[in-house]
Amino acid sequence: MAAARDLRATETAEVGGADAVELAKRHLIQPWPFAGSVGAEARALIGEGDGIYITDGTGKRLIDGPAGMWCVNVGHRHEELAKVMYDQAMALSYNTPWYTMNAPSAELAMRIAGHAPGDLSHVFTTTGGSSAVETALRFMQFYNNVRGRPEKKLILSRGGAYHGSTYLSASLNGRPRDRDWMDGADELVIKLSSPDPFRRPRGMSLAAFTDFLVDQFRDTVARVGAEKIGAFVGEPVQASGGVVVPPDGYLKRIRETCRDNDILYVSDEVVTAFGRLGHVFASGDVFGIDPDMITFAKGVTSGYFPLGGVIISERLLEELRRSNHPDAMFGHGLTYTSHPVGCAVALKNLDLLEEGVLAHTREVAPYFQAQLKTLEELPLVGEVRGLGLMGCVECVADRESKDPLQLDKDVGKRIDAHCHELGLLVRPLINMCVMSPPLVITREQIDDMVGILREGISRTMDDLRKEGVWRG
Ligand SMILES: Cc1ncc(COP(=O)(O)O)c(C=O)c1O
């Protein structure tokens, strides 16, 4: 078995006699490239995956710390998922959703609606998270047009947010660097503060910080006018912004403010849904809110097929059906909406979550959080935070100033490089390391993961001291 695996890893590295990394440098454009290396970049080659592990092009086995991109929830090489994709492709690989339909998409919609909070009853599937957010926003625009409120289109988003890479979804992004060189529909978006407790004003209590955030939201609505604001879009836990867990009660109060002002609340659960916080959806089960729409992607197929979607409230759909414009068309649909292979694998993935993976996640999550938290002993670490199987280690120059900028900016990348040597793939984010392993991770594997991370950070501290960049 081991020999067969090694062979496959080698085959993946060699493409038509050439080295895959060399071919990529000559022909492949990889996501989020810098201008200076666009189309000419060597990234770590991954040959294969198994459970929580991946193997790089040199045959080195690594713990997949970010579970791909927060998505390989039930782990790599899951035979049942592979088989269901094969079976569905052999039965029906594709049908046009324009004027036909397939059974897996209808069953998936029913099963997803069964897990969704409030009156979220209908599902529109897309190709991933960006197209899910884009769909939710275009639906909001259509809904307000049909209601005769064409001026009610502005969107509230927040600092630290990440909602995608299509034009409108990307316009909502609020992380440092994301928008510096990119255009956006800025005239449609209003940015509010990130609900990041770690970065709240010095000396402010958590309760006062929550009041500040809610007041800012209400003041903005009052200043701009509720009649101009169509939607608020927010991740329950800001994921790529550094696993920002909002203060208690904040999401509920924002939800109520949206309801009071007829602003649609879109909960972007592209990361948090399908198990990451121990439930299929976190909005209701973890945060006690019932949004008007929930967007999802990633974990819905455990990353085995590119699929996303938006769940929409029955109330909104009913309003459209009863409108004065029953013929107005929601001119929106993707070739791969309701893709039968994607929906079939999502159904099997949901079986696996329901049959044990969710319960396992809820069981190991407190251990994962407690073990990660021990890294706060290291002087380079300003804070370790997280929820469920999402964690973030934020490095700072010193805890007093919490300044990430006095350090070499890419301290996360330095830690990742050491961890790679030691057998762990990390998701580096400027001065942060984000950890979101496959949900099937065991306690022993959590110990391995945290042990390697500790050593990777220690080695990074040594390097920084040697270079004279840091004196911690
Ligand atoms: C919260 C959130 N929304 C949307 C997206 C975009 O999803 P995708 O990359 O599948 O288009 C992401 C991707 O990381 C995300 O984290």
Side-chain angles (χ1 to χ4, degrees):
M1 190 64 188
R5 280 185 199 172
D6 289 345
L7 184 61
R8 276 201 303 275
T10 316
E11 279 173 355
T12 315
E14 293 285 323
V15 183
D19 178 70
V21 175
E22 266 311 305
L23 287 182
K25 276 170 71 177
R26 272 184 261 148
H27 298 291
L28 188 66
I29 301 174
Q30 311 199 54
W32 300 85
F34 285 102
S37 56
V38 61
E41 207 182 336
R43 296 191 180 178
L45 180 71
I46 304 300
E48 58 184 54
D50 190 5
I52 70 154
Y53 299 101
I54 48 177
T55 305
D56 75 10
T58 68
K60 187 178 200 40
R61 198 173 79 145
L62 308 163
I63 297 174
D64 187 0
M69 287 285 287
W70 327 85
C71 57
V72 189
N73 286 2
V74 303
H76 295 274
R77 194 180 286 161
H78 203 295
E79 199 159 359
E80 286 178 82
L81 293 189
K83 188 165 180 317
V84 89
M85 291 168 73
Y86 174 86
D87 289 346
Q88 182 58 49
M90 293 305 283
L92 175 69
S93 54
Y94 179 78
N95 66 290
T96 170
W98 257 239
Y99 45 92
T100 66
M101 62 162 289
N102 61 63
S105 60
E107 186 183 346
L108 181 66
M110 181 271 290
R111 295 266 305 273
I112 286 178
H115 282 284
D119 73 340
L120 299 190
S121 59
H122 284 66
V123 178
F124 182 105
T125 73
T126 65
T127 50
S130 305
S131 50
V133 173
E134 201 80 15
T135 298
L137 294 174
R138 296 198 77 208
F139 181 83
M140 173 274 286
Q141 295 171 339
F142 173 69
Y143 170 74
N144 281 323
N145 285 341
V146 173
R147 292 165 84 210
R149 301 175 185 196
E151 74 293 346
K152 194 170 167 62
K153 302 279 175 54
L154 296 178
I155 306 155
L156 298 172
S157 180
R158 299 171 300 175
Y162 183 73
H163 295 293
S165 279
T166 52
Y167 196 65
L168 191 50
S169 68
S171 304
L172 308 187
N173 294 342
R175 303 180 311 172
R177 292 192 193 179
D178 276 2
R179 295 288 310 284
D180 293 354
W181 291 88
M182 302 299 289
D183 294 355
D186 295 332
E187 68 288 358
L188 290 180
V189 182
I190 301 169
K191 295 265 170 61
L192 302 168
S193 301
S194 166
D196 183 353
F198 184 60
R199 299 260 165 220
R200 71 185 185 274
R202 191 190 289 260
M204 188 184 263
S205 72
L206 267 183
F209 182 52
T210 312
D211 290 343
F212 159 77
L213 294 167
V214 175
D215 287 346
Q216 184 193 51
F217 195 102
R218 290 187 181 143
D219 293 348
T220 305
V221 173
R223 178 173 47 81
V224 176
E227 71 286 356
K228 295 213 179 80
I229 304 174
F232 162 71
V233 183
E235 301 153 84
V237 174
Q238 287 190 332
S240 308
V243 188
V244 171
V245 183
D248 278 352
Y250 158 80
L251 290 177
K252 272 193 178 166
R253 290 171 67 186
I254 297 296
R255 204 293 167 248
E256 286 317 311
T257 308
C258 285
R259 207 192 306 278
D260 294 345
N261 289 282
D262 192 18
I263 295 168
L264 298 184
Y265 187 117
V266 181
S267 185
D268 184 355
E269 290 223 41
V270 163
V271 168
T272 53
F274 294 95
R276 183 72 30 214
L277 301 187
H279 300 271
V280 175
F281 295 108
S283 295
D285 289 339
V286 179
F287 295 101
I289 57 167
D290 60 335
D292 295 297
M293 293 187 250
I294 290 181
T295 50
F296 64 86
K298 299 189 186 274
V300 64
T301 60
S302 281
Y304 280 66
F305 193 93
L307 189 81
V310 50
I311 325 174
I312 302 181
S313 145
E314 180 63 35
R315 176 180 63 83
L316 305 184
L317 299 169
E318 185 56 23
E319 254 185 86
L320 289 176
R321 289 186 212 111
R322 289 172 183 270
S323 73
N324 292 327
H325 305 284
D327 296 333
M329 181 184 282
F330 181 43
H332 182 85
L334 312 171
T335 299
Y336 297 131
T337 294
S338 296
H339 197 292
V341 177
C343 293
V345 71
L347 280 168
K348 176 50 80 182
N349 184 63
L350 194 50
D351 289 344
L352 298 172
L353 293 178
E354 289 171 354
E355 286 162 10
V357 176
L358 293 176
H360 172 79
T361 306
R362 292 195 292 268
E363 208 264 310
V364 295
Y367 187 73
F368 169 81
Q369 295 296 342
Q371 294 310 107
L372 265 190
K373 197 81 180 161
T374 63
L375 298 177
E376 282 187 353
E377 291 157 10
L378 302 171
L380 187 63
V381 175
E383 185 183 60
V384 177
R385 55 177 173 268
L387 198 66
L389 282 184
M390 298 171 80
C392 177
V393 177
E394 177 157 356
C395 297
V396 290
D398 66 89
R399 284 190 194 144
E400 191 46 36
S401 71
K402 298 183 181 176
D403 188 347
L405 299 176
Q406 287 169 22
L407 292 177
D408 168 78
K409 269 188 190 153
D410 282 329
V411 74
K413 274 196 186 149
R414 289 165 174 258
I415 296 171
D416 177 46
H418 282 304
C419 288
H420 195 121
E421 283 293 302
L422 296 160
L424 169 68
L425 191 80
V426 167
R427 169 109 191 260
L429 275 171
I430 311 179
N431 65 322
M432 298 181 262
C433 297
V434 165
M435 306 304 296
S436 61
L439 307 180
V440 292
I441 194 165
T442 63
R443 282 169 184 252
E444 294 70 34
Q445 290 168 333
I446 289 171
D447 291 342
D448 290 348
M449 194 190 82
V450 176
I452 294 175
L453 192 52
R454 175 180 289 274
E455 180 58 25
I457 297 171
S458 299
R459 291 187 187 184
T460 303
M461 294 193 306
D462 291 345
D463 295 344
L464 294 169
R465 283 187 191 113
K466 269 187 219 138
E467 289 168 29
V469 191
W470 180 69
R471 276 187 240 285

